[in-house]
Amino acid sequence: MVKIRDPIHGFIEVSDQEMKIIDSAPFQRLRNIRQLATSYLVYPGAEHTRFAHSIGVMHLVSKAFDAAVGNFKLMNDGGELFNNKIDTKWYRQILRLIALTHDLGHAPFSHAFEEIFAIDPKDTKGKRKIKHEYFTMKIICETEIADYIKQISDEFILDNIENIGNNTEEYKITPELLWLIYEQENPEEDSRYKPRDFKLLRGFMNSELDCDKMDYLLRDSYYCGVNYGRYDVDRLISSLTVYNNEKYNVYQLAIKQSGIHVFEEFVIARYFMFIQVYFHKTRRYLDYLLVKAVKSLDIGEIGHDFSVNTYMQYDDNNIIDMLKAEARSGNKSAIAFKNRDLKSCVYQTSTHSNSTKETQWLNKIYDDLKKNLGNNAVWIDKAVKEPHKMPAIGRYDDPDGKGIPVIVSHSDTATNVIEESVLLQGLHSLISISRIYVDRNQKEKAKKIVKSYFPNPNESYEEDVL
C-alpha cells in the first residue's frame, strides 16, 4: 500500500497494483494536462492537472461507495445491499479503477482542444464531435493500462478465491467492463450488463451527484484561490445512501433527507464556479485564441483514425512548444496566443440572458460596433450551461435510474430531490452569458457607443478586470 499526500484530501491510499497504473506512461501524461485549460493565465495558481484530479476522484469514490453501502445497511436493519460481501468488494474495486482512469483520454488543455476533434460518424446530423471519452476507452483497452487492469483482476480473484470458488469468470475485471459501466451508450444491449447494480455504480461517476464533480469543485477552487467551489464534502458523502427501485428492479444512488441542504450547497458551488471561474471573460477569450492558434498547426482533425500512440504524444507542453515555434515563423494566430493579445470586453449581458429583449440589445450593439470599428475589431461570445439537470432527468423512480431519490427518514420512502428543495426549484434558468469584445486600442470608442444605448446612469456594462 502506498500513501500519496494530496492538498485537498490529505493522505490517499493506493494499492501497489493501482500504482502501476499511476506510474504508467498514459497516466503520467496527465501531469502535463492542466485541469482548467488557459485559466492559469488568469488565475496564477491554476496550474493543477488531470493527474492529481484523477487520484482525488478515486479517493472520493471509495469513501462515497462505503458511505452509501453502510447507510443502506443501517436503514434496512442490517440487510446487505448486494448478494454477498465479495460483490461489495468487487464493485468497490471496479469503481476505483473507473475513477482512476476516467480522464486518460483528455486532450491538451482539456476541453478547449476538442474544437479540432472530428465529427462523430455515429451522429447522423453531422454536428456532434467525437468526445475525449472515446480516447479514454481506446487508452484503457489498447495500452499497458489493460495489462495492469488484468493484473488487478487476477489479484482480486486470488485473494478472494475461497469465496469466489469456480465463479472466476464472473469476477474478472476487464477494460471493456469498466467502459460498459461508466460510459457505453445503450449498455442494456450488452449481455454482461447488470442493470440493477451497474446503474448504481454509474451514478457515482456520471450523475448530478458524482465524485468527479465533488473533486474538481474543491480542487479548482483551491488552486484558483477562490471560495466559490467550496462545500462540506464530508457531510455530503455521509448523506449518501442507496434507493431500491423495486418497480424497475434497479439500485440508485440517493441522498438522505438530512443531506438535502449540503446537496444544495454542492449545486450552488458548481453554479458559482461556472459563472465566476469557468466562464470568466478573459479565460473565454484566451480559449478562443488557443483554439484559433491550434487550428493553424499541422495536426489536422482528430478522429477515429487517429492512433492511440499518436494521440498520447500530445499534451499542454508540446502544444505550447509547437505554438512557440509557429510564432517564431510568423504565424499570426500563434503570436496572438503567445503574447496574450487580448481584446477588451465592453458589453456583457446578465447571467441568465434568455429574453428576447436582451438578445435584441446585444445584436444592436454588436452590429453598431462592427459598423464603427470594423468586423475584425469585434468578437462576440456566448457561454451557456445548465445550473443543474434535475428537472430534465425525470422522476427519481424512472427506469433509466438517472434521478436522485431523497430518502425520507420518518417513513423510509423516497421523493424527488427537486421536490425537496425550493432553492433548486428556483435555480433552473439556463446560464447564458453573452459578451462583446473589441480591440484594446478601440476600447474607449467602443465604450462610448455602448454607453449611448444606456442613458440611464443606473444601467452598467462590464469593465475590464485584467
Side-chain angles (χ1 to χ4, degrees):
M1 186 70 69
V2 177
K3 289 186 177 181
I4 297 175
R5 184 183 282 276
D6 180 70
I8 309 301
H9 306 301
F11 282 112
I12 295 176
E13 292 189 346
V14 183
S15 74
D16 293 339
Q17 293 288 356
E18 290 165 344
M19 273 305 301
K20 290 183 179 180
I21 293 178
I22 292 173
D23 287 336
S24 70
F27 199 91
Q28 289 292 313
R29 170 181 170 269
L30 298 182
R31 288 185 183 274
N32 297 322
I33 296 182
R34 292 181 181 86
Q35 181 81 6
L36 295 182
T38 62
S39 292
Y40 72 102
L41 298 172
V42 179
Y43 299 96
E47 295 278 359
H48 57 303
T49 66
R50 297 275 165 182
F51 180 89
H53 164 66
S54 298
I55 297 172
V57 177
M58 181 181 69
H59 171 72
L60 286 182
V61 84
S62 305
K63 293 181 65 176
F65 180 79
D66 292 345
V69 171
N71 283 331
F72 178 88
K73 186 173 182 178
L74 287 174
M75 296 170 70
N76 288 274
D77 300 321
E80 296 289 346
L81 176 60
F82 304 112
N83 292 331
N84 54 62
K85 292 183 179 180
I86 296 303
D87 280 358
T88 302
K89 291 174 65 177
W90 190 57
Y91 289 148
R92 189 179 192 271
Q93 181 63 79
I94 285 172
L95 273 177
R96 284 177 65 84
L97 289 174
I98 290 173
L100 190 61
T101 61
H102 81 283
D103 268 355
L104 284 176
H106 261 292
F109 293 97
S110 297
H111 295 288
F113 198 85
E114 292 175 24
E115 285 293 318
I116 70 166
F117 279 16
I119 297 296
D120 191 336
K122 295 180 181 179
D123 182 15
T124 56
K125 295 181 179 178
K127 294 182 179 180
R128 187 180 65 189
K129 290 179 178 289
I130 292 171
K131 295 181 179 180
H132 73 269
E133 285 87 356
Y134 168 77
F135 289 100
T136 297
M137 181 267 292
K138 299 284 281 184
I139 290 169
I140 66 172
C141 292
E142 298 180 10
T143 68
E144 63 261 44
I145 299 293
D147 296 329
Y148 297 138
I149 291 172
K150 182 181 183 300
Q151 290 175 22
I152 289 170
S153 175
D154 292 343
E155 185 177 84
F156 179 88
I157 291 172
L158 185 62
D159 289 345
N160 297 281
I161 194 65
E162 289 185 6
N163 296 302
I164 290 173
N166 295 324
N167 299 322
T168 54
E169 285 296 320
E170 183 179 343
Y171 287 96
K172 281 188 175 179
I173 302 173
T174 66
E176 292 78 13
L177 178 65
L178 301 184
W179 187 252
L180 175 69
I181 295 170
Y182 172 54
E183 188 66 31
Q184 185 168 310
E185 293 184 16
N186 303 315
E188 294 85 357
E189 298 175 1
D190 193 304
S191 60
R192 299 169 299 170
Y193 193 71
K194 302 176 182 179
R196 190 189 72 153
D197 297 350
F198 288 0
K199 285 187 178 182
L200 170 65
L201 298 187
R202 183 174 287 206
F204 285 97
M205 282 300 300
N206 193 352
S207 72
E208 287 299 287
L209 193 53
D210 67 50
C211 296
D212 184 22
K213 295 181 182 68
M214 288 186 193
D215 183 85
Y216 78 60
L217 287 175
L218 294 174
R219 197 169 297 276
D220 293 350
S221 179
Y222 176 86
Y223 282 101
C224 288
V226 301
N227 291 322
Y228 308 116
R230 296 180 181 175
Y231 63 95
D232 191 343
V233 64
D234 292 330
R235 181 75 178 102
L236 181 61
I237 286 176
S238 69
S239 301
L240 297 178
T241 185
V242 177
Y243 171 63
N244 183 7
N245 187 339
E246 295 179 346
K247 183 178 179 181
Y248 295 105
N249 191 30
V250 295
Y251 286 139
Q252 293 171 248
L253 184 60
I255 191 165
K256 296 190 291 185
Q257 190 178 37
S258 58
I260 195 68
H261 299 306
V262 71
F263 180 67
E264 290 173 334
E265 183 184 31
F266 174 64
V267 173
I268 292 171
R270 185 165 175 256
Y271 169 77
F272 280 122
M273 284 297 284
F274 267 98
I275 63 175
Q276 297 291 340
V277 176
Y278 307 144
F279 287 168
H280 188 285
K281 62 186 173 68
T282 307
R283 182 254 168 97
R284 293 284 296 183
Y285 192 74
L286 284 164
D287 278 3
Y288 162 75
L289 287 180
L290 172 66
V291 170
K292 189 177 180 182
V294 167
K295 285 182 176 179
S296 72
L297 299 176
D298 187 22
I299 296 175
E301 279 194 330
I302 296 177
H304 284 177
D305 58 344
F306 220 76
S307 75
V308 170
N309 290 334
T310 301
Y311 184 79
M312 289 195 302
Q313 291 175 13
Y314 293 111
D315 59 30
D316 289 15
N317 291 350
N318 62 15
I319 293 298
I320 288 293
D321 288 342
M322 292 169 71
L323 290 175
K324 286 180 179 178
E326 284 294 306
R328 289 193 293 270
S329 300
N331 183 317
K332 291 183 179 180
S333 296
I335 292 171
F337 179 73
K338 177 179 176 291
N339 294 340
R340 295 177 74 248
D341 187 9
L342 301 173
K343 281 181 164 56
S344 297
C345 179
V346 294
Y347 178 73
Q348 175 174 311
T349 64
S350 62
T351 304
H352 303 274
S353 59
N354 299 306
S355 69
T356 302
K357 181 180 178 182
E358 277 196 288
T359 302
Q360 290 173 343
W361 275 111
L362 176 74
N363 291 335
K364 284 182 180 179
I365 295 170
Y366 180 54
D367 289 341
D368 201 350
L369 288 171
K370 287 196 297 180
K371 179 181 176 181
N372 284 276
L373 308 181
N375 288 343
N376 293 334
V378 187
W379 183 69
I380 191 168
D381 174 55
K382 188 169 187 177
V384 179
K385 185 73 177 179
E386 290 177 301
H388 60 77
K389 296 180 181 178
M390 260 72 80
I393 58 180
R395 283 181 51 83
Y396 70 92
D397 56 357
D398 280 353
D400 61 11
K402 292 182 179 180
I404 300 177
V406 175
I407 309 300
V408 181
S409 56
H410 58 266
S411 64
D412 289 335
T413 57
T415 184
N416 267 3
V417 65
I418 199 72
E419 293 172 1
E420 287 290 314
S421 172
V422 174
L423 192 153
L424 294 181
Q425 290 173 25
L427 192 65
H428 64 83
S429 181
L430 196 69
I431 298 172
S432 179
I433 306 172
S434 294
R435 299 184 177 103
I436 300 175
Y437 300 73
V438 302
D439 287 346
R440 284 193 161 183
N441 60 0
Q442 304 258 40
K443 182 173 66 173
E444 294 306 319
K445 183 178 180 180
K447 281 184 176 182
K448 292 179 181 178
I449 293 172
V450 173
K451 201 167 187 178
S452 69
Y453 283 84
F454 303 97
N456 186 336
N458 292 323
E459 296 282 1
S460 64
Y461 54 89
E462 187 75 358
E463 294 284 355
D464 282 332
V465 175
L466 291 176

